[in-house]
Every structure is written in C-alpha cells, then in structure tokens.
Amino acid sequence: NHLDLPGIEFVERFIGRHPGAVVVVSHDRRFLDSVATSIVEVEDGLATRWKGNYSAFIEQTDQKLLSASRAFKDQQEFVKKEMDYIRKHMGSRWTAQAKGRLKRLKRLQLIQRPKTKKGELKLKFVGGRGQSGQSILDVENLAARLPTGRVLFEGLTFRLYHGETLG
C-alpha cells in the first residue's frame, strides 16, 4: 500500500523474477493485471480459482453470470409454460399427459437466481460518538433500478445527522 511508481515497479519486477508462488492481496487493478497469473475469489466460504490476470477474471465472471442468468430465465419460462399446460389440461382428456408433466416438474432441479454484484450496497458505521447535529451521511443523486430496467427511484438526495434513524 501507498507505494510510489518506482516502488510498484520494483515489486512487479521482483514478483516476475521470483521462482516460486506469491500471494498478492491488492486493490490496484493495474498491478494485478501485470503480476497475476490466476485469481482466487472467496465468496460465501467457497474459493474459486480463475486463470489469467484481473481483467481475465472480470471477463470470466461476467460470462459465468450471463450464462447463469440465461439458464435461470430459460428454466423459469419452461416451468411457466408447463404449469400453463397442466392448469389448462387437468381434468380434460389430456389429464394423463398433464399429470406426467407435473411429475417431471416436481423432479426438476430448480436453478437458483444468480447473485449479482452490481447494485449491492452495504453500509457499516463503526465506532462513533458523534455530536448532535453532526452530519454522518451525505447522499446525492442516488438511483436504484431492477435488472429488468424498471426504475425504483432516482435523484434521491438527503443528509443523515447523528442520532437520526432512516428506514
């Protein structure tokens, strides 16, 4: 942390010449692009190794998310169509086929909605004895949209003072 350009270049050269493995924890994306040959992502207690530098990691995780989103959407459409068929034909002369489709649906392994990193917002206030009237959070032009594009809100601006509660 807090290295100047010559310091960063020295560390890059050192890692490049080092014959063994090196574990790097950094927020510097350019640095990670220049030294990393694989990225390990730890999420929900699981570690996943991705080959390539940071840019390759971002590309691969975006592709994985896109693929999972498409699979989830396709399965949801399939389930909806099957349920429509079952509702329409249960009690008619096609009841046996409707019951068969219902059995198949019950055995179907449902795909979980993929978690997206975009749109997450986590705030944690630590420490803090503030003074009455002290501003602890200033928000300007906050917006939120659903993945469908529907706008929940936009242009939200507010200030939260010590001792206030916002829900």
Side-chain angles (χ1 to χ4, degrees):
N1 279 339
H2 310 297
L3 293 177
D4 58 0
L5 190 56
I8 293 171
E9 290 170 347
F10 168 78
V11 173
E12 287 176 359
R13 285 191 308 274
F14 179 80
I15 291 173
R17 289 191 310 260
H18 185 70
V22 176
V23 175
V24 175
V25 178
S26 177
H27 63 276
D28 186 343
R29 295 173 182 186
R30 193 202 61 74
F31 176 73
L32 289 173
D33 270 343
S34 67
V35 300
T37 57
S38 67
I39 303 282
V40 176
E41 176 187 36
V42 179
E43 184 178 41
D44 296 331
L46 296 173
T48 307
R49 182 174 181 219
W50 303 89
K51 292 184 180 180
N53 62 12
Y54 184 78
S55 295
F57 160 74
I58 293 298
E59 210 171 288
Q60 292 172 56
T61 54
D62 286 349
Q63 281 300 105
K64 180 184 173 194
L65 179 61
L66 182 61
S67 176
S69 296
R70 284 182 182 151
F72 175 78
K73 181 182 173 193
D74 291 346
Q75 188 182 59
Q76 292 298 307
E77 288 173 5
F78 171 76
V79 168
K80 183 182 180 307
K81 285 179 184 176
E82 290 294 291
M83 288 304 295
D84 289 344
Y85 181 91
I86 292 165
R87 282 189 202 103
K88 183 177 179 182
H89 296 293
M90 197 61 90
S92 69
R93 65 181 181 175
W94 292 289
T95 298
Q97 287 147 337
K99 285 182 180 179
R101 288 183 182 205
L102 184 59
K103 266 188 193 175
R104 231 181 330 161
L105 275 183
K106 286 181 180 177
R107 289 192 308 258
L108 183 66
Q109 182 80 30
L110 291 178
I111 298 171
Q112 296 295 318
R113 179 183 298 274
K115 294 180 184 177
T116 61
K117 293 191 186 326
K118 296 174 183 170
E120 287 183 5
L121 175 65
K122 293 181 182 178
L123 296 175
K124 183 176 180 181
F125 297 98
V126 291
R129 295 188 190 275
Q131 297 177 5
S132 182
Q134 180 182 5
S135 173
I136 60 168
L137 181 65
D138 289 317
V139 176
E140 292 184 19
N141 295 321
L142 182 64
R145 290 180 179 79
L146 296 174
T148 60
R150 180 175 164 225
V151 176
L152 296 177
F153 57 85
E154 60 187 0
L156 182 62
T157 300
F158 64 90
R159 177 174 285 157
L160 187 64
Y161 293 97
H162 174 75
E164 288 185 328
T165 304
L166 177 68

PDB file of all heavy atoms in Angstrom, residues 138-145 153-158:
ATOM      1  N   ASP A 138     -23.959  11.914   3.693  1.00  0.00           N
ATOM      2  CA  ASP A 138     -24.485  12.796   2.660  1.00  0.00           C
ATOM      3  C   ASP A 138     -24.665  11.987   1.391  1.00  0.00           C
ATOM      4  O   ASP A 138     -23.725  11.347   0.935  1.00  0.00           O
ATOM      5  CB  ASP A 138     -23.518  13.955   2.370  1.00  0.00           C
ATOM      6  CG  ASP A 138     -23.466  14.953   3.508  1.00  0.00           C
ATOM      7  OD1 ASP A 138     -24.544  15.292   4.035  1.00  0.00           O
ATOM      8  OD2 ASP A 138     -22.362  15.381   3.873  1.00  0.00           O
ATOM      9  N   VAL A 139     -25.858  11.992   0.846  1.00  0.00           N
ATOM     10  CA  VAL A 139     -26.158  11.230  -0.365  1.00  0.00           C
ATOM     11  C   VAL A 139     -26.677  12.203  -1.417  1.00  0.00           C
ATOM     12  O   VAL A 139     -27.562  13.018  -1.125  1.00  0.00           O
ATOM     13  CB  VAL A 139     -27.205  10.128  -0.094  1.00  0.00           C
ATOM     14  CG1 VAL A 139     -27.591   9.414  -1.371  1.00  0.00           C
ATOM     15  CG2 VAL A 139     -26.694   9.147   0.940  1.00  0.00           C
ATOM     16  N   GLU A 140     -26.116  12.094  -2.634  1.00  0.00           N
ATOM     17  CA  GLU A 140     -26.571  12.940  -3.734  1.00  0.00           C
ATOM     18  C   GLU A 140     -26.883  12.096  -4.950  1.00  0.00           C
ATOM     19  O   GLU A 140     -26.098  11.235  -5.335  1.00  0.00           O
ATOM     20  CB  GLU A 140     -25.486  13.963  -4.099  1.00  0.00           C
ATOM     21  CG  GLU A 140     -25.250  14.998  -3.039  1.00  0.00           C
ATOM     22  CD  GLU A 140     -24.234  16.045  -3.478  1.00  0.00           C
ATOM     23  OE1 GLU A 140     -23.993  16.166  -4.694  1.00  0.00           O
ATOM     24  OE2 GLU A 140     -23.704  16.717  -2.593  1.00  0.00           O
ATOM     25  N   ASN A 141     -28.037  12.318  -5.539  1.00  0.00           N
ATOM     26  CA  ASN A 141     -28.464  11.672  -6.788  1.00  0.00           C
ATOM     27  C   ASN A 141     -28.366  10.156  -6.759  1.00  0.00           C
ATOM     28  O   ASN A 141     -27.869   9.530  -7.695  1.00  0.00           O
ATOM     29  CB  ASN A 141     -27.666  12.231  -7.973  1.00  0.00           C
ATOM     30  CG  ASN A 141     -27.975  13.693  -8.187  1.00  0.00           C
ATOM     31  OD1 ASN A 141     -29.115  14.108  -8.053  1.00  0.00           O
ATOM     32  ND2 ASN A 141     -26.958  14.467  -8.489  1.00  0.00           N
ATOM     33  N   LEU A 142     -28.840   9.534  -5.696  1.00  0.00           N
ATOM     34  CA  LEU A 142     -28.855   8.076  -5.582  1.00  0.00           C
ATOM     35  C   LEU A 142     -29.983   7.523  -6.443  1.00  0.00           C
ATOM     36  O   LEU A 142     -31.076   8.083  -6.493  1.00  0.00           O
ATOM     37  CB  LEU A 142     -29.057   7.665  -4.118  1.00  0.00           C
ATOM     38  CG  LEU A 142     -29.051   6.175  -3.804  1.00  0.00           C
ATOM     39  CD1 LEU A 142     -27.671   5.588  -4.109  1.00  0.00           C
ATOM     40  CD2 LEU A 142     -29.419   5.941  -2.350  1.00  0.00           C
ATOM     41  N   ALA A 143     -29.702   6.415  -7.159  1.00  0.00           N
ATOM     42  CA  ALA A 143     -30.712   5.785  -8.008  1.00  0.00           C
ATOM     43  C   ALA A 143     -30.637   4.284  -7.823  1.00  0.00           C
ATOM     44  O   ALA A 143     -29.591   3.740  -7.500  1.00  0.00           O
ATOM     45  CB  ALA A 143     -30.476   6.145  -9.473  1.00  0.00           C
ATOM     46  N   ALA A 144     -31.765   3.618  -8.039  1.00  0.00           N
ATOM     47  CA  ALA A 144     -31.810   2.148  -7.990  1.00  0.00           C
ATOM     48  C   ALA A 144     -32.732   1.666  -9.098  1.00  0.00           C
ATOM     49  O   ALA A 144     -33.821   2.204  -9.302  1.00  0.00           O
ATOM     50  CB  ALA A 144     -32.292   1.660  -6.639  1.00  0.00           C
ATOM     51  N   ARG A 145     -32.256   0.644  -9.809  1.00  0.00           N
ATOM     52  CA  ARG A 145     -33.029   0.038 -10.892  1.00  0.00           C
ATOM     53  C   ARG A 145     -33.014  -1.474 -10.718  1.00  0.00           C
ATOM     54  O   ARG A 145     -32.035  -2.029 -10.254  1.00  0.00           O
ATOM     55  CB  ARG A 145     -32.417   0.383 -12.243  1.00  0.00           C
ATOM     56  CG  ARG A 145     -32.571   1.828 -12.629  1.00  0.00           C
ATOM     57  CD  ARG A 145     -31.936   2.122 -13.991  1.00  0.00           C
ATOM     58  NE  ARG A 145     -32.118   3.511 -14.361  1.00  0.00           N
ATOM     59  CZ  ARG A 145     -31.395   4.509 -13.885  1.00  0.00           C
ATOM     60  NH1 ARG A 145     -30.429   4.272 -13.035  1.00  0.00           N
ATOM     61  NH2 ARG A 145     -31.619   5.744 -14.262  1.00  0.00           N
ATOM     62  N   PHE A 153     -36.154   4.234  -7.881  1.00  0.00           N
ATOM     63  CA  PHE A 153     -36.075   5.642  -7.539  1.00  0.00           C
ATOM     64  C   PHE A 153     -34.817   6.216  -8.168  1.00  0.00           C
ATOM     65  O   PHE A 153     -33.899   5.495  -8.512  1.00  0.00           O
ATOM     66  CB  PHE A 153     -36.092   5.888  -6.018  1.00  0.00           C
ATOM     67  CG  PHE A 153     -34.998   5.187  -5.272  1.00  0.00           C
ATOM     68  CD1 PHE A 153     -33.732   5.754  -5.148  1.00  0.00           C
ATOM     69  CD2 PHE A 153     -35.225   3.965  -4.677  1.00  0.00           C
ATOM     70  CE1 PHE A 153     -32.731   5.125  -4.465  1.00  0.00           C
ATOM     71  CE2 PHE A 153     -34.214   3.305  -3.987  1.00  0.00           C
ATOM     72  CZ  PHE A 153     -32.966   3.897  -3.880  1.00  0.00           C
ATOM     73  N   GLU A 154     -34.812   7.531  -8.322  1.00  0.00           N
ATOM     74  CA  GLU A 154     -33.626   8.204  -8.838  1.00  0.00           C
ATOM     75  C   GLU A 154     -33.634   9.647  -8.360  1.00  0.00           C
ATOM     76  O   GLU A 154     -34.674  10.181  -7.978  1.00  0.00           O
ATOM     77  CB  GLU A 154     -33.544   8.129 -10.365  1.00  0.00           C
ATOM     78  CG  GLU A 154     -34.687   8.747 -11.108  1.00  0.00           C
ATOM     79  CD  GLU A 154     -34.606   8.476 -12.609  1.00  0.00           C
ATOM     80  OE1 GLU A 154     -33.677   7.826 -13.074  1.00  0.00           O
ATOM     81  OE2 GLU A 154     -35.526   8.931 -13.304  1.00  0.00           O
ATOM     82  N   GLY A 155     -32.457  10.239  -8.336  1.00  0.00           N
ATOM     83  CA  GLY A 155     -32.329  11.620  -7.918  1.00  0.00           C
ATOM     84  C   GLY A 155     -32.539  11.831  -6.425  1.00  0.00           C
ATOM     85  O   GLY A 155     -32.848  12.929  -5.984  1.00  0.00           O
ATOM     86  N   LEU A 156     -32.359  10.769  -5.627  1.00  0.00           N
ATOM     87  CA  LEU A 156     -32.574  10.859  -4.185  1.00  0.00           C
ATOM     88  C   LEU A 156     -31.370  11.536  -3.536  1.00  0.00           C
ATOM     89  O   LEU A 156     -30.239  11.098  -3.697  1.00  0.00           O
ATOM     90  CB  LEU A 156     -32.773   9.462  -3.593  1.00  0.00           C
ATOM     91  CG  LEU A 156     -33.057   9.368  -2.105  1.00  0.00           C
ATOM     92  CD1 LEU A 156     -34.368  10.075  -1.771  1.00  0.00           C
ATOM     93  CD2 LEU A 156     -33.135   7.917  -1.680  1.00  0.00           C
ATOM     94  N   THR A 157     -31.625  12.620  -2.832  1.00  0.00           N
ATOM     95  CA  THR A 157     -30.576  13.369  -2.150  1.00  0.00           C
ATOM     96  C   THR A 157     -31.031  13.611  -0.717  1.00  0.00           C
ATOM     97  O   THR A 157     -32.162  14.037  -0.493  1.00  0.00           O
ATOM     98  CB  THR A 157     -30.325  14.714  -2.862  1.00  0.00           C
ATOM     99  OG1 THR A 157     -29.926  14.447  -4.212  1.00  0.00           O
ATOM    100  CG2 THR A 157     -29.247  15.515  -2.167  1.00  0.00           C
ATOM    101  N   PHE A 158     -30.167  13.284   0.243  1.00  0.00           N
ATOM    102  CA  PHE A 158     -30.502  13.540   1.640  1.00  0.00           C
ATOM    103  C   PHE A 158     -29.240  13.607   2.486  1.00  0.00           C
ATOM    104  O   PHE A 158     -28.166  13.220   2.050  1.00  0.00           O
ATOM    105  CB  PHE A 158     -31.471  12.486   2.200  1.00  0.00           C
ATOM    106  CG  PHE A 158     -30.898  11.096   2.254  1.00  0.00           C
ATOM    107  CD1 PHE A 158     -30.216  10.652   3.386  1.00  0.00           C
ATOM    108  CD2 PHE A 158     -31.043  10.218   1.194  1.00  0.00           C
ATOM    109  CE1 PHE A 158     -29.696   9.375   3.437  1.00  0.00           C
ATOM    110  CE2 PHE A 158     -30.528   8.948   1.238  1.00  0.00           C
ATOM    111  CZ  PHE A 158     -29.848   8.519   2.373  1.00  0.00           C
TER     112      PHE A 158
END
